[in-house]
């Protein structure tokens, strides 16, 4: 496209994807798109109430008045699956996350799940997915990646990542491999602070970079940066998002990536608290980023756009560099979006999503291949005619990568079809002393006890760990523990006997778990990560 007729402001706008806080186009997004020429929006759960509402929102956003009305918007989302699913509403398939897919370890299933997700996203007007996460999660204490990764084996992560990319893009939704050069071996959440990956180039090439090389070979449309410091590539104390040595020299020149480089959100504290959002936007584009993501605050979004404009005027950024990125953005939009009838496709009265039967069949297959039996101390399968106490942790607080579930379905519900007497004891993921004591008192009457654990950040919460230890002391081999997110929970109670990993706590996985616990399904999952020397990658009974 001839950019000679474009103003500087119009071109800079195409380099931004921004979020807003409503179910309809509000003043924030109208200003950004119509006045500041922003080229894309990002959805969070705050923007979604129903699929009909979301289809209407996508249509209305594309119809917003703007100076280059012929250029469609990127409408993006983090639909990774599992516990990071912005689309988790009635009418949308609740796809599995990466670690469940890694445990199932069938590339065809990974690709089919991505195809399913892409069909539904496209039907709702979403054309850019910030997925798959191809970080290699080899740090058990990682507070932000964890089950968002396919596992700790670089080759396996690379294969599944490439399969997901093929699946998304076969349906016309752009994939984004993230977080470059790799966020898997960190102990700090970049939403909250700066992390460092200290390894040398040889190790980084063998482990962290391998999935990104495979993603590039698979033709990924985009790669998202990590707000993480890599001294092996960047001797100055700056994160990859702001490093020209990482984004241009490594990703563009050495690795040959020709697609879109998009930053992770600059409002994350790793950038906002250390460099500033406006300055970060300028530095990211100087480093080689094509698109800057600013997800939440209008003032920050406006200041970042104005800072980039001022940097061009002052000569800190060249207009040629801006033009190169705009050309990449427009080329991808032409490839993925321009042939779509935007007003017809996203008609809320004619939403065409995957038929429920087809969707459920696929997702049940994935779930039944992912349940991992790590160890059996001899108390499986459950006895149908003996009562079972199920201790269920209820997610009550939100994190940056986890939101309280909108669904009420527990392991107790899943077991009802197989066991005569189920007693459900609900605690918080950070149980109080009163909750712990209540469970211990209840347990006296039971010879079959299942404690479900749930850890969303780093190590298992102390209350859950203490409860498991206390029950193990009094009940020994009668106790069964199931982790429903972080497989590393066993590190808090290594002496436990029967232990299973589920990787997420949603209905398809819980149904499959119930079948395994009652002997109606053989466990098929393998560990995507090492729990200790006794339970390495690939272990499964």
């Amino acid at each position: 496209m001839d950019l000679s007729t474009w103003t500087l402001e119009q071109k800079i706008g195409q380099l931004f994807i921004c979020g807003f806080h409503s179910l309809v186009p509000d003043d924030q997004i109208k200003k950004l798109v119509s006045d500041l020429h922003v080229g894309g929006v990002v959805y969070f759960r705050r923007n979604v109430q129903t699929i009909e509402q979301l289809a209407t929102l996508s249509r209305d956003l594309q119809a917003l008045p703007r100076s280059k009305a012929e250029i469609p918007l990127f409408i993006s989302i983090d639909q990774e699956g599992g516990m990071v699913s912005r689309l988790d509403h009635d009418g949308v398939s609740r796809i599995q996350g990466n670690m469940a897919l890694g445990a199932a370890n069938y590339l065809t299933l990974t690709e089919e799940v991505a195809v399913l997700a892409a069909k539904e996203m496209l039907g709702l007007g979403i054309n850019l997915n910030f997925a798959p996460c191809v970080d290699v999660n080899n740090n058990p204490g990682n507070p932000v990646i964890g089950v968002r990764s396919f596992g700790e084996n670089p080759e396996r992560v690379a294969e599944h990542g490439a399969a997901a990319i093929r699946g998304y893009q076969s349906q016309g939704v752009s994939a984004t491999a993230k977080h470059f050069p790799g966020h898997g071996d960190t102990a700090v959440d970049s939403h909250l602070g700066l992390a460092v990956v200290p390894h040398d180039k040889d190790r980084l090439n063998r482990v962290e970079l391998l999935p990104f090389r495979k993603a590039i070979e698979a033709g990924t449309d985009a790669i998202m940066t990590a707000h993480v410091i890599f001294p092996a590539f960047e001797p100055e104390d700056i994160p990859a998002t702001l490093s020209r040595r990482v984004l241009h020299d490594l990703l563009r020149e050495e690795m040959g990536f020709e697609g879109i480089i998009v930053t992770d959100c600059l409002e994350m504290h790793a950038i906002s608290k250390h460099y500033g959002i406006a300055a970060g936007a300028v530095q990211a584009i100087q480093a080689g980023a094509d698109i800057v993501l600013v997800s939440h605050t209008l003032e920050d979004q406006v200041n970042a756009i104005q800072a980039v404009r001022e940097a061009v005027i002052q000569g800190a950024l060249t207009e040629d560099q801006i033009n190169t990125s705009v050309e990449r953005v427009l080329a991808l939009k032409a490839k993925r979006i321009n042939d779509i009838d935007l007003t017809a496709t996203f008609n809320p009265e004619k939403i065409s999503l995957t038929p429920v039967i087809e969707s459920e069949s696929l997702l049940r297959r994935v779930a039944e291949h992912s349940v991992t039996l790590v160890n059996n101390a001899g108390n499986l399968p459950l006895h149908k005619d003996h009562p079972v106490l199920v201790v269920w942790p209820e997610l009550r607080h939100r994190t940056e990568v986890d939101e309280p579930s909108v669904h009420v379905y527990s392991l107790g519900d899943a077991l009802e079809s197989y066991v005569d007497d189920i007693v459900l004891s609900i605690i918080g993921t950070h149980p109080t002393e009163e909750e712990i004591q209540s469970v211990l008192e209840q347990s006296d009457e039971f010879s079959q006890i299942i404690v479900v654990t749930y850890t969303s950040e780093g190590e298992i919460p102390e209350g859950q760990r203490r409860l498991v230890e206390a029950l193990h002391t009094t009940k020994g081999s009668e106790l069964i523990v199931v982790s429903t997110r972080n497989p590393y929970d066993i590190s808090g109670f290594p002496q436990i006997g029967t232990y299973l990993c589920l990787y997420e706590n949603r209905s398809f996985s819980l149904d499959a778990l119930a079948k395994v616990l009652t002997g109606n399904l053989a466990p098929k999952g393998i560990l995507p990560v090492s729990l200790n020397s006794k339970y390495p990658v690939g272990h499964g009974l």
Side-chain angles (χ1 to χ4, degrees):
M1 177 174 288
D2 181 10
L3 296 180
S4 63
T5 62
W6 288 51
T7 66
L8 176 60
E9 291 76 13
Q10 288 170 335
K11 289 187 281 191
I12 289 172
Q14 287 294 316
L15 307 190
F16 280 82
I17 289 178
C18 297
F20 60 106
H21 297 265
S22 67
L23 301 172
V24 297
D26 61 3
D27 290 342
Q28 177 180 6
I29 200 63
K30 287 177 182 177
K31 176 180 178 65
L32 290 166
V33 172
S34 298
D35 298 343
L36 297 176
H37 318 288
V38 162
V41 301
V42 56
Y43 286 154
F44 289 86
R45 193 174 288 193
R46 67 195 181 200
N47 303 116
V48 188
Q49 186 176 65
T50 67
I51 60 172
E52 293 81 11
Q53 166 267 325
L54 187 61
T56 299
L57 177 58
S58 297
R59 183 193 62 193
D60 292 347
L61 287 171
Q62 294 289 5
L64 285 176
R66 51 192 188 273
S67 58
K68 295 293 182 181
E70 73 277 13
I71 306 298
L73 297 171
F74 279 135
I75 297 184
S76 62
I77 198 166
D78 293 282
Q79 186 66 359
E80 298 177 18
M83 306 314 295
V84 183
S85 297
R86 310 304 187 199
L87 300 176
D88 201 19
H89 301 71
D90 289 344
V92 179
S93 300
R94 295 186 172 100
I95 62 171
Q96 279 85 6
N98 284 356
M99 195 161 282
L101 290 163
N105 200 32
Y106 280 90
L107 297 180
T108 54
L109 289 178
T110 296
E111 186 167 349
E112 287 176 35
V113 168
V115 167
L116 169 63
K119 286 179 179 178
E120 297 184 344
M121 282 186 281
L122 200 62
L124 296 170
I126 298 163
N127 49 51
L128 171 60
N129 192 16
F130 292 140
C133 176
V134 296
D135 301 301
V136 179
N137 197 84
N138 42 30
N139 186 331
N142 194 315
V144 67
I145 303 301
V147 292
R148 301 168 68 193
S149 168
F150 291 107
E152 75 174 52
N153 181 285
E155 290 80 10
R156 189 175 298 165
V157 171
E159 291 171 349
H160 283 279
I165 288 164
R166 291 192 298 270
Y168 291 131
Q169 295 186 174
S170 70
Q171 304 305 307
V173 172
S174 290
T176 308
K178 63 185 187 184
H179 307 79
F180 184 83
H183 205 327
D185 196 2
T186 61
V188 175
D189 180 351
S190 52
H191 291 92
L192 306 175
L194 266 173
V196 179
V197 175
H199 305 298
D200 61 24
K201 288 183 180 180
D202 179 64
R203 146 64 194 253
L204 293 169
N205 273 293
R206 286 186 292 104
V207 178
E208 278 76 10
L209 293 185
L210 178 61
F212 290 99
R213 294 188 191 279
K214 293 295 184 181
I216 293 169
E217 290 176 11
T220 188
D221 284 343
I223 289 178
M224 177 177 281
T225 68
H227 303 329
V228 176
I229 295 172
F230 289 80
F233 298 129
E234 174 52 80
E236 296 183 34
D237 197 26
I238 56 175
T241 295
L242 309 182
S243 168
R244 188 164 179 83
R245 291 184 178 95
V246 173
L247 301 191
H248 179 269
D249 296 355
L250 175 61
L251 183 53
R252 286 276 184 231
E253 296 296 321
E254 182 179 330
M255 297 177 68
F257 180 57
E258 297 179 352
I260 297 291
I261 299 175
V262 58
T263 73
D264 209 340
C265 180
L266 297 190
E267 290 179 80
M268 294 163 63
H269 288 182
I271 300 296
S272 63
K273 298 296 186 184
H274 293 267
Y275 305 93
I277 295 166
V282 174
Q283 288 178 257
I285 295 174
Q286 288 173 328
D290 301 299
I291 292 178
V292 170
L293 181 62
V294 189
S295 301
H296 305 293
T297 309
L298 179 60
E299 181 180 3
D300 291 329
Q301 293 162 339
V302 172
N303 289 343
I305 293 168
Q306 291 176 343
V308 173
R309 177 182 180 276
E310 188 63 24
V312 176
I313 292 172
Q314 297 298 325
L317 280 169
T318 69
E319 195 158 356
D320 283 346
Q321 185 175 353
I322 299 295
N323 289 346
T324 298
S325 290
V326 173
E327 287 167 354
R328 287 195 190 102
V329 169
L330 297 182
L332 182 54
K333 288 183 174 183
K335 178 181 179 181
R336 296 287 182 213
I337 313 174
N338 282 5
D339 291 337
I340 299 172
D341 183 342
L342 298 174
T343 59
T345 303
F346 314 137
N347 186 335
E349 297 177 359
K350 299 179 180 179
I351 298 172
S352 178
L353 301 185
T354 308
V356 172
I357 294 176
E358 177 186 340
S359 166
E360 288 192 358
S361 174
L362 170 61
L363 300 184
R364 288 195 187 282
R365 275 191 292 139
V366 175
E368 292 180 358
H369 279 87
S370 66
V371 180
T372 309
L373 178 56
V374 177
N375 192 49
N376 183 358
N379 52 354
L380 290 180
L382 295 172
H383 295 287
K384 176 181 181 297
D385 53 353
H386 292 185
V388 178
L389 175 64
V390 175
V391 183
W392 178 259
E394 185 176 64
L395 182 60
R396 297 169 181 166
H397 69 287
R398 181 186 183 279
T399 74
E400 292 294 342
V401 294
D402 218 352
E403 300 175 71
S405 178
V406 297
H407 314 292
V408 182
Y409 190 81
S410 73
L411 178 58
D413 298 305
L415 281 169
E416 282 184 347
S417 299
Y418 306 100
V419 178
D420 294 337
D421 188 4
I422 300 291
V423 175
L424 183 67
S425 182
I426 298 176
I427 61 174
T429 53
H430 296 265
T432 64
E433 187 64 32
E434 291 76 12
E435 288 176 323
I436 292 172
Q437 291 305 314
S438 176
V439 171
L440 293 177
E441 291 171 10
Q442 277 184 296
S443 69
D444 289 342
E445 307 298 322
F446 293 86
S447 61
Q448 298 188 118
I449 302 171
I450 303 171
V451 177
V452 176
T453 61
Y454 186 97
T455 302
S456 59
E457 300 172 285
E459 295 181 354
I460 185 170
E462 178 63 15
Q464 291 188 58
R465 187 194 65 77
R466 286 178 47 231
L467 174 59
V468 170
E469 284 197 336
L471 285 170
H472 181 262
T473 298
T474 59
K475 293 294 181 177
S477 62
E478 296 174 356
L479 183 63
I480 298 167
V481 178
V482 180
S483 69
T484 55
R485 179 170 176 140
N486 190 336
Y488 303 109
D489 284 354
I490 194 173
S491 64
F493 32 81
Q495 74 281 11
I496 205 69
T498 300
Y499 184 70
L500 300 95
C501 295
L502 202 58
Y503 316 104
E504 54 194 64
N505 66 2
R506 302 196 301 172
S507 59
F508 292 121
S509 294
L510 293 171
D511 287 343
L513 171 64
K515 291 181 180 179
V516 170
L517 291 171
T518 56
N520 289 282
L521 176 71
K524 301 173 183 176
I526 60 173
L527 282 175
V529 294
S530 298
L531 304 185
N532 50 43
S533 59
K534 185 178 179 182
Y535 306 126
V537 169
H539 174 83
L541 299 181

